[in-house]
Amino acid sequence: MSRGSSAGYDRHITIFSPEGRLYQVEYAFKAVKSVGITTVAVKGVDSVCGVTQKKVPDKLIDPKSVTNVFRVSDHHGCIFTGLATDARAQLQRTRSEAADFKFKFGYEIPVDQIAKRLADINQVYTQHAYMRPLGVSLIFIGMDDERGPQLYKCDPAGYYIGYRGCAAGAKEQEAINYLEKKLKEEEKKLSYEETVQLALATLQSVVAADLKPSDVEVAVVSKDNPRFRILTDEEVEQQLTAMTEKD
């Protein structure tokens, strides 16, 4: 067995390689990218927007039944990137945690708390040989009564953190590079319109093609309308047109 090879060290989730790597966790990250979908999320001064590609794998499938965006509670939502089957299991758990929190304490669970809870669960999946890490990356967006718009990302290894802008999926690094250039000014404050258009522009840049409303799903929450919602095709078209006119 060669020391630098993964052979033998990826048979069980609990075995470290000599380099200190857990190969099955890395395989889970590859599974997130394997579906070929990219997701981008941006936080503005009073809103958060998440944009993801919408790909219908078969002509016989009803496009309305294909989605990567789900409501968690009234003011929170989740955009998943990766294996849809794993995502559904995570989202069911997420909704259960959010409902339990509201039942116990009488108010919506903060976005950072739901991200932390899912990250704790994901991390446990990397500790036991009878489990496997879930091949899905979750981006949570929501409106906090005290801290305003919130954007958190949770990965298969159980790591979570808040972002001003983040990405997941096939073109993740390209999207991050684009966002870093656009968000490099710490004092830059994005309005609702600017937040949505930056998220769309980032995705359009990395896929290197003009977006159409049928190609994307756009989820937003804002201070003026804190309920989590998905923009209609007409609203997406308006934003894309405004982007074109601005350029």
Side-chain angles (χ1 to χ4, degrees):
M1 185 186 297
S2 60
R3 188 171 177 81
S5 170
S6 67
Y9 296 109
D10 59 354
R11 302 297 174 85
H12 294 285
I13 190 66
T14 55
I15 297 178
F16 280 103
S17 76
E19 293 82 24
R21 296 163 64 182
L22 288 171
Y23 286 105
Q24 288 197 0
V25 176
E26 295 180 18
Y27 297 159
F29 279 90
K30 290 180 180 178
V32 172
K33 298 183 178 182
S34 68
V35 295
I37 288 176
T38 303
T39 302
V40 177
V42 179
K43 181 175 75 171
V45 66
D46 60 356
S47 59
V48 191
C49 175
V51 180
T52 187
Q53 289 176 274
K54 182 174 183 178
K55 292 186 177 181
V56 181
D58 194 306
K59 292 182 179 179
L60 296 178
I61 293 176
D62 181 1
K64 294 180 181 178
S65 67
V66 178
T67 182
N68 290 356
V69 182
F70 290 88
R71 180 191 302 275
V72 175
S73 64
D74 286 344
H75 297 171
H76 304 75
C78 177
I79 305 168
F80 77 81
T81 312
L83 304 180
T85 47
D86 287 1
R88 273 192 281 273
Q90 284 287 68
L91 288 163
Q92 185 176 0
R93 182 63 180 265
T94 303
R95 287 169 170 167
S96 175
E97 295 285 344
D100 287 346
F101 186 96
K102 188 171 184 179
F103 178 77
K104 289 179 181 177
F105 302 106
Y107 63 95
E108 299 281 0
I109 186 171
V111 180
D112 63 319
Q113 288 296 310
I114 194 65
K116 177 181 183 299
R117 182 64 184 139
L118 263 292
D120 289 344
I121 295 169
N122 282 355
Q123 207 282 324
V124 171
Y125 279 38
T126 69
Q127 297 180 27
H128 301 287
Y130 57 85
M131 292 179 172
R132 68 164 175 83
L134 297 177
V136 61
S137 180
L138 302 173
I139 294 177
F140 295 98
I141 67 174
M143 186 62 62
D144 190 286
D145 292 338
E146 297 178 355
R147 293 185 290 175
Q150 297 289 296
L151 169 60
Y152 278 79
K153 178 182 173 184
C154 180
D155 65 28
Y159 181 73
Y160 83 101
I161 200 165
Y163 286 91
R164 295 169 58 211
C166 67
K171 301 284 185 69
E172 177 180 353
Q173 192 55 53
E174 293 92 328
I176 290 172
N177 294 340
Y178 186 92
L179 286 171
E180 285 176 348
K181 293 177 184 177
K182 297 295 182 180
L183 296 173
K184 59 184 177 181
E185 303 93 352
E186 186 65 34
E187 67 276 4
K188 187 174 179 61
K189 302 297 184 182
L190 298 173
S191 66
Y192 169 77
E193 300 287 337
E194 292 171 332
T195 302
V196 176
Q197 291 173 21
L198 176 57
L200 286 167
T202 303
L203 186 59
Q204 185 166 275
S205 173
V206 299
V207 301
D210 291 337
L211 296 178
K212 295 184 293 185
S214 59
D215 296 335
V216 295
E217 292 180 283
V218 183
V220 296
V221 290
S222 64
K223 189 174 182 180
D224 294 335
N225 185 5
R227 291 182 65 85
F228 177 86
R229 68 190 185 96
I230 301 173
L231 297 188
T232 63
D233 287 352
E234 290 75 16
E235 290 174 308
V236 175
E237 183 64 48
Q238 290 175 4
Q239 297 295 341
L240 291 171
T241 302
M243 280 170 48
T244 306
E245 292 173 350
K246 186 182 296 185
D247 295 337

